[in-house]
Amino acid sequence: MWYYEKKLQYPVKVSECNPMLAKFLIEQYGGADGELSAALRYLNQRYSIPDKVVGLLTDIGTEEFAHLEMIATMVYKLTKDATPEQMKAAGLGAHYSNHDKALYYENAAGTPWTAAYITAKGDPIADLYEDIAAEEKARATYQWIINLSDDPDLNDGLKFLREREIIHSLRFREAVEILIEERDRKKIF
Amino acid sequence: MAKQVPKEFYQLLREIQEVDFVLLELNLYLDTHPDDYDAIEQFNNFSQRSRELKINFEQQFGPLMGFGASYSNYPFDWGNTPWPWQV
Amino acid sequence: MSTQFKYWEPYVSPFDPCPPIRIKSYSTPPNLYMTFQPTGLAQFQTPREALHHGTLWPELFSPYPNPHKWGEQDG
């Protein structure tokens, strides 16, 4: 089971009411390489992967939910007090007509999240390589959002999230190393 | 309008976030380096520090964890604002 | 330590409609050069610094955007 802790992993700040940035950020909420996809992908893989790496998948999957909450917080703060006119000007008119200010698991183009974004091949190497690719894709997505954003406080949080993808990618590579290690050979770290 | 939290809330919360981040980083590291004795010692030291910081925070601002991992005041104060995305 | 960005020069046609970007770059963060993290890697001095950088280890920190100008060598 999981316990909820009433705090964010990293303090999120946003400088100004800017629904346009919220539209871009939704990519990391309900997009193919977003935090929801990541969390569900890793936690789901645990049931068929060798025991040695289940702890890592559990912990990274859990951290991804903390990142999902950070993204939600950013979107919430960027749109909380925006007027319908501001939402429309930001390209969120279609979102507003369907959802008002509610968050929705969709990508930046408005396509709803789908389980087709994640695979579960059942082969430990194939699954871990998918995870490594997913982390690099999420890192790239953060880069493109940072490039689009001129909000220094928001970018501070986005840089933190980008760095986390780098650490996760390294841990998944280590997990591969652990699984491909020759029998009884001493680890080389 | 619900009462806003004092400055101290942010300082104490930030300190918890810092210590808990070290713990999370060490946890992921230890998942792939289970034999690193020094890292485990650091992990246990920070775990102790995290508990102390949270006891102090919760006495002033209410429970951080749900389902009984934190104590409650009277009346039940788990649902009090601010929630993490509101602070 | 490895460089964090790599550069390349795309082909420029006289008929390209937008002003050409002569040098393009891509990110190559430090995890790519570390197959398995060694034990005892130096840590940031304080938990505050670690949280701010998003990692406990300076050697795994990757700055973004590119702190150097486009086309200028980093590292």
Side-chain angles (χ1 to χ4, degrees), chain A:
Chain A
M1 77 170 290
W2 273 266
Y3 281 81
Y4 185 70
E5 186 159 32
K6 218 172 170 179
K7 76 178 210 295
L8 296 180
Q9 188 189 6
Y10 185 88
V12 165
K13 271 192 82 181
V14 168
S15 314
E16 52 175 3
C17 169
N18 188 342
M20 175 98 72
L21 289 176
K23 181 173 164 61
F24 303 146
L25 270 172
I26 278 290
E27 187 65 33
Q28 292 295 52
Y29 194 67
D33 308 313
E35 303 291 355
L36 180 71
S37 298
L40 297 180
R41 178 188 296 112
Y42 306 150
L43 293 173
N44 181 62
Q45 284 175 0
R46 298 182 301 160
Y47 305 100
S48 53
I49 209 137
D51 295 348
K52 275 180 178 177
V53 296
V54 171
L56 183 69
L57 283 170
T58 303
D59 296 334
I60 295 185
T62 300
E63 186 183 353
E64 303 294 6
F65 276 123
H67 295 173
L68 189 70
E69 191 181 31
M70 282 178 64
I71 298 290
T73 300
M74 291 170 178
V75 172
Y76 165 82
K77 286 183 186 289
L78 286 163
T79 57
K80 180 173 172 263
D81 301 309
T83 63
E85 287 71 29
Q86 283 176 302
M87 296 288 277
K88 193 166 75 180
L92 283 169
H95 176 94
Y96 182 82
S97 70
N98 193 358
H99 306 287
D100 191 350
K101 301 289 181 60
L103 274 73
Y104 189 63
Y105 291 114
E106 61 190 348
N107 71 8
T111 307
W113 187 87
T114 163
Y117 289 154
I118 58 183
T119 58
K121 196 45 73 178
D123 177 89
I125 303 301
D127 282 345
L128 285 167
Y129 271 62
E130 154 136 343
D131 301 345
I132 293 165
E135 295 292 342
E136 300 301 341
K137 286 189 277 184
R139 169 183 59 76
T141 307
Y142 279 120
Q143 289 166 193
W144 313 153
I145 298 171
I146 291 167
N147 291 353
L148 286 166
S149 157
D150 53 3
D151 183 324
D153 287 321
L154 185 77
N155 285 353
D156 181 65
L158 294 176
K159 287 175 195 176
F160 172 86
L161 291 166
R162 175 181 174 274
E163 178 66 35
R164 297 311 298 151
E165 312 296 348
I166 291 165
I167 300 300
H168 292 173
S169 177
L170 174 62
R171 297 291 168 244
F172 285 132
R173 285 159 60 101
E174 290 170 344
V176 170
E177 292 298 311
I178 288 168
L179 294 186
I180 66 175
E181 197 188 16
E182 298 288 348
R183 185 172 54 91
D184 290 337
R185 219 187 56 192
K186 191 92 183 76
K187 289 191 198 85
I188 24 107
F189 52 78

